Amino acid sequence: IMKAPSPAISALALARVAFISAPSCVAFTPPSPSEAGVSRTAAASFELFSSTSDATSTTPTKTEEVEFPPEISRVDRLKRAARFWSAAVPIVASYFGKSGELYMREALLGERLSSTEAQEEFDKLHFKGAEKLATTITSLKGFYVKTAQIIASRQDLFPEQYTTALSGFTDNLDPMPASLAKAVIEKELLNADETFEDVFSEFDEVPLGSASVAQVHRAVLTEKYGGPREVAIKVQRPSIESKLMGDISNLIALAKPLQ
């Protein structure tokens, strides 16, 4: 008989499949191909944006030469895995250790804690584990931030200490520089003979929001592309895929024994 996988395993597996099979963009609604001719590759996209933004709009200028971050190396992936496991294993082990301790105290010494006393013992572990997990995720970022956001939003599944400690990851993360975001847009969306100002008459360098995988900027299309029309441009962080794949593998490996 095959046992159904836990929700954690299913969610992580779906995340892995979704990242591999889906393009980085959420939506792409430019003018028709005959009007636009914009390359539809995966690292950047623009969609219609109807709300008013308070961010300062700037007229695009030619994007300076920007060095793209390199793909994460095998050595760096191993380092990330080592940092993750060095934090995760002690947290998980502390719960098994405490459960074993309470069981032995009851079996050998006849000491049985009340439910309140037992909860106080585990609350101490929750506080310590939540603090360590938050510190580790802050340093590693990547897909671990997504995991923190899931935990923080599920007060029905996780101890309050964890949801509180990880609640800060639901806010905007440190955005990548606007120059790098524009360089990604130029590389992935613009035709070879186009400049940034050929496509966008305005571009907000302060993003509307930023996350571990991508960030979103408000812009205005030029008349050439059906403008003036406000759009939201979602830009994936360069070289993020290899880092996320390693993070997801580590999380799946951790979740399997905990089913």
Side-chain angles (χ1 to χ4, degrees):
I1 299 175
M2 295 181 63
K3 185 169 71 169
S6 68
I9 291 289
S10 300
L12 290 168
L14 286 173
R16 183 186 183 96
V17 172
F19 193 86
I20 293 174
S21 60
S24 324
C25 57
V26 172
F28 188 94
T29 54
S32 64
S34 60
E35 297 173 334
V38 176
S39 172
R40 301 190 179 190
T41 47
S45 65
F46 54 81
E47 56 185 346
L48 288 177
F49 180 72
S50 57
S51 63
T52 302
S53 171
D54 293 330
T56 302
S57 299
T58 60
T59 301
T61 56
K62 184 173 179 59
T63 304
E64 60 190 57
E65 286 294 324
V66 176
E67 183 177 351
F68 282 68
E71 293 284 340
I72 186 171
S73 66
R74 179 175 178 82
V75 172
D76 288 334
R77 286 185 65 174
L78 291 174
K79 288 181 179 179
R80 285 179 63 81
R83 292 177 65 183
F84 168 76
W85 286 107
S86 65
V89 170
I91 293 174
V92 175
S94 67
Y95 288 99
F96 283 106
K98 179 58 68 174
S99 297
E101 176 191 336
L102 297 181
Y103 174 80
M104 295 301 294
R105 286 171 60 180
E106 180 179 354
L108 300 179
L109 304 176
E111 297 180 3
R112 182 181 179 86
L113 300 183
S114 67
S115 58
T116 301
E117 291 172 330
Q119 184 62 52
E120 290 176 352
E121 291 290 325
F122 281 100
D123 279 344
K124 295 176 184 177
L125 295 182
H126 295 335
F127 277 115
K128 185 177 180 179
E131 182 179 351
K132 187 169 187 177
L133 184 60
T135 300
T136 301
I137 293 176
T138 298
S139 64
L140 291 175
K141 296 184 174 63
F143 193 80
Y144 300 118
V145 172
K146 291 293 183 185
T147 304
Q149 293 170 345
I150 293 172
I151 294 175
S153 66
R154 295 305 304 270
Q155 292 87 351
D156 57 322
L157 292 179
F158 298 97
E160 180 183 357
Q161 294 85 345
Y162 283 90
T163 58
T164 299
L166 301 178
S167 62
F169 292 101
T170 58
D171 299 327
N172 284 345
L173 299 181
D174 295 336
M176 59 180 158
S179 57
L180 180 56
K182 292 170 71 173
V184 173
I185 295 170
E186 284 195 345
K187 178 181 178 182
E188 299 294 339
L189 291 183
L190 273 60
N191 293 318
D193 58 345
E194 289 181 322
T195 62
F196 202 83
E197 54 268 26
D198 288 334
V199 180
F200 304 105
S201 59
E202 295 180 22
F203 180 82
D204 287 353
E205 295 196 347
V206 178
L208 298 171
S210 58
S212 58
V213 177
Q215 63 190 49
V216 178
H217 291 263
R218 173 195 167 275
V220 176
L221 293 175
T222 60
E223 292 184 3
K224 178 181 178 181
Y225 288 94
R229 182 170 59 168
E230 282 189 310
V231 294
I233 313 171
K234 185 173 184 180
V235 187
Q236 180 177 297
R237 294 177 184 270
S239 306
I240 193 68
E241 182 174 353
S242 58
K243 179 186 292 186
L244 295 188
M245 290 300 99
D247 295 349
I248 293 173
S249 296
N250 291 331
L251 290 167
I252 290 176
L254 175 65
K256 280 184 178 179
L258 303 179
Q259 294 185 73

